Amino acid sequence: MSALAWTAAGSLAAWCWLLLCQGFFWRTDQRLPPRRRDPEHWPAVVVVVPARDEAEVLPLSLPSLLGQEYPGRAEVVLVDDNSTDGTAAEARAIAARCGGLPLTVTTPGEPEPGWTGKLWALRHGMALAEERGPEFLLLTDADIAHDPDSLRELVASAVCGAAGRAGHMSAPHLSGAHMSTEHMSGAPMSDAHMSDAPTSSASMSAPHTSSGPVSDAHMSGVPMSDAHVSDASTDPSGPGAAPGDPDPGSGAVTGTGTTPVGTPGFDAVSLMARLRVAGGWERLVIPAFVYFFAQLYPFRRVNSPASRTAAAAGGCVLLRTDAARRAGVPASIRQAVIDDVTLARAVSDTGGRIWLGLADRVHSVRPYPRLRDLWRMVSRSAYTQLRHSPVLLAGTVAGLLLVYVVPPVALVAGLVSGDAAAAWAGGLAWAVMSGTFLPVLRYYGLSPLTAPALPFTAVLYLLMTVDSAIRHHRGRGAAWKGRTYARPEAAPGRR
């Protein structure tokens, strides 16, 4: 056989392995199941929303949080991360107009050295939430809209256990050491999420009582008046730690409660929000993003007690406060740019049980109308995913070319040159590739006829990743909304 035929055969072998041996990543059946029963006790929840210059999207997302139909006690804390567009004022106006769950608007000041902006905002919001004594925290991005029953279904699944729609029940995840598949050849390296805030997780335990009770005015479903919109602005050092915190500056959630051993459910339940696919570039790039993310972190492996893969999806993470306390979150991950996957590892490495799936009730309202918007979103952290390693970058480029580019090239070149072996191998590899992309296209309601365009989209992601590396080597690092982050080892204040 010719060199082209052997190369095409190698690509076909890679696709056969991906199809059968990479956790069935291409399936979309990992969803929250229909609720079969209610928890005996609906735990208290505080929703923490980091927001930086989000005044434009808040009218589309914040009312959905305030309007949650949750049977237990719930409230919302929006952390205005030093916005310049009136984000805090817009949030207060929405709360006064819409009513619903109580809303607190607060600001942490500029981040201290060694913290990313999002995690600094989460530190402040989680510390403030701890004063309310919740059993769960819902960490959700400012651009994420929720169906009215979203919180109820998340909590029920976390307390009672979650299962995929195919009937797969994920047992408690008790593995101590976790290893990700983030550097697998053939999958583009990009940010672990397409929105701006970290993620979290969830599970069941006895009621958390380390803090005093919240008044009836803060009960879920109580109509909101202007008095329910409070401010908790502080100096840049953030709020004081809860009683018993050994390190007031750590930002870790504190308290006295612990999760009983053998408790059912999960410490973290994360949903990959359904992203917007209104424009042409969004329809081309975003389904592929979900596909590539699942290829790196197969949801079934994340949800399996026998696997060491740990991941979460940014935008919607229900996190048990006890699990956050054990993992030292967010202080233990304060420098993470890809914060959602890092958070999942921190929870899992401390014995937490995690679950990850696709969302049916949660969706992003953030538009990416132009290619440059999507390009900037991916390139800001793609090289971080590769640990700023030129070797890993070179391996990723080679893997992408072999797995995604060789099949169509071999098919066309083989047909033109009369190399039947190359044409057959390339055509079969392209067919397998396109077939594995179909479930994600169906999930987004897009035409299956676009599946063969996946190689073109993969090349776009390859170029975004290379651009990310060039930006880092030019000293521009990971940049987002006016902030640029150095490599973790170069950041001051690292311990």
Side-chain angles (χ1 to χ4, degrees):
M1 291 196 304
S2 67
L4 179 62
W6 279 112
T7 304
S11 181
L12 177 59
W15 273 111
C16 291
W17 184 86
L18 288 169
L19 176 69
L20 301 174
C21 303
Q22 186 56 13
F24 295 99
F25 74 93
W26 42 272
R27 298 188 61 173
T28 58
D29 60 344
Q30 296 300 291
R31 320 270 189 96
L32 289 182
R35 180 161 43 94
R36 295 180 176 88
R37 64 185 177 92
D38 289 341
E40 295 180 4
H41 158 71
W42 286 99
V45 181
V46 173
V47 181
V48 180
V49 186
R52 179 173 172 83
D53 294 334
E54 298 287 12
E56 183 178 353
V57 299
L58 282 181
L60 302 174
S61 60
L62 186 56
S64 72
L65 287 173
L66 300 177
Q68 285 299 300
E69 300 169 355
Y70 183 64
R73 175 165 56 87
E75 59 182 296
V76 180
V77 174
L78 185 139
V79 186
D80 176 21
D81 183 13
N82 303 285
S83 300
T84 60
D85 67 346
T87 290
E90 181 65 28
R92 296 187 190 100
I94 291 170
R97 182 171 64 250
C98 297
L101 300 184
L103 172 70
T104 298
V105 178
T106 181
T107 183
E110 286 295 328
E112 290 182 353
W115 287 80
T116 64
K118 291 182 295 182
L119 291 173
W120 178 254
L122 272 184
R123 169 193 181 274
H124 186 81
M126 292 171 69
L128 186 62
E130 177 71 6
E131 298 174 5
R132 276 72 164 170
E135 296 168 59
F136 288 98
L137 301 168
L138 175 61
L139 310 183
T140 185
D141 292 353
D143 67 303
I144 301 299
H146 296 250
D147 285 0
D149 61 348
S150 169
L151 180 59
R152 184 174 68 243
E153 298 300 327
L154 274 167
V155 171
S157 294
V159 170
C160 302
R165 287 193 173 165
H168 171 72
M169 175 65 74
S170 294
H173 192 103
L174 299 175
S175 175
H178 283 259
M179 174 181 64
S180 75
T181 55
E182 65 187 78
H183 300 305
M184 183 186 68
S185 173
M189 301 298 176
S190 62
D191 191 1
H193 56 74
M194 299 189 72
S195 45
D196 302 336
T199 57
S200 86
S201 318
S203 160
M204 170 184 176
S205 83
H208 185 84
T209 58
S210 63
S211 298
V214 178
S215 66
D216 291 340
H218 286 184
M219 291 297 290
S220 170
V222 176
M224 175 181 276
S225 66
D226 290 343
H228 288 152
V229 183
S230 59
D231 291 288
S233 300
T234 65
D235 60 38
S237 62
D245 185 358
D247 180 7
S250 70
V253 176
T254 60
T256 58
T258 57
T259 304
V261 175
T263 297
F266 298 92
D267 294 292
V269 172
S270 175
L271 292 177
M272 174 167 277
R274 195 185 293 260
L275 304 168
R276 195 184 104 133
V277 289
W281 287 114
E282 290 172 336
R283 288 192 291 270
L284 180 67
V285 173
I286 286 177
F289 172 85
V290 176
Y291 175 88
F292 293 145
F293 180 86
Q295 192 176 86
L296 288 169
Y297 307 103
F299 291 5
R300 284 172 174 261
R301 287 187 179 174
V302 172
N303 301 338
S304 169
S307 172
R308 294 183 175 183
T309 302
C316 181
V317 182
L318 186 68
L319 176 65
R320 183 170 184 80
T321 52
D322 285 336
R325 187 178 305 119
R326 287 195 303 267
V329 172
S332 62
I333 62 171
R334 62 189 180 276
Q335 291 181 310
V337 175
I338 306 174
D339 44 85
D340 46 7
V341 174
T342 309
L343 183 148
R345 289 178 189 149
V347 171
S348 189
D349 286 348
T350 52
R353 295 150 292 183
I354 61 177
W355 188 91
L356 169 65
L358 292 172
D360 292 314
R361 299 176 177 88
V362 180
H363 60 278
S364 173
V365 298
R366 188 182 305 284
Y368 291 95
R370 298 164 298 186
L371 177 59
R372 70 177 183 180
D373 300 320
L374 291 159
W375 192 291
R376 184 171 60 248
M377 179 276 303
V378 173
S379 65
R380 70 186 175 97
S381 58
Y383 198 44
T384 302
Q385 182 85 32
L386 296 175
R387 303 178 187 176
H388 307 104
S389 169
V391 175
L392 289 177
L393 175 64
T396 299
V397 170
L400 281 169
L401 293 175
L402 174 66
V403 175
Y404 289 96
V405 177
V406 164
V409 170
L411 174 61
V412 174
L415 291 175
V416 171
S417 64
D419 190 337
W424 273 105
L428 287 174
W430 197 1
V432 174
M433 180 199 315
S434 301
T436 61
F437 194 34
L438 290 176
V440 174
L441 291 176
R442 283 197 299 268
Y443 172 71
Y444 276 99
L446 299 177
S447 171
L449 298 178
T450 62
L454 185 58
F456 173 74
T457 309
V459 170
L460 286 178
Y461 273 90
L462 172 60
L463 296 175
M464 294 172 189
T465 303
V466 172
D467 180 58
S468 177
I470 293 173
R471 288 175 180 270
H472 274 80
H473 285 292
R474 288 180 176 176
R476 284 184 267 177
W480 188 249
K481 293 193 175 181
R483 290 183 177 135
T484 301
Y485 300 108
R487 300 183 188 184
E489 63 270 20
R494 187 172 188 263
R495 289 180 290 180

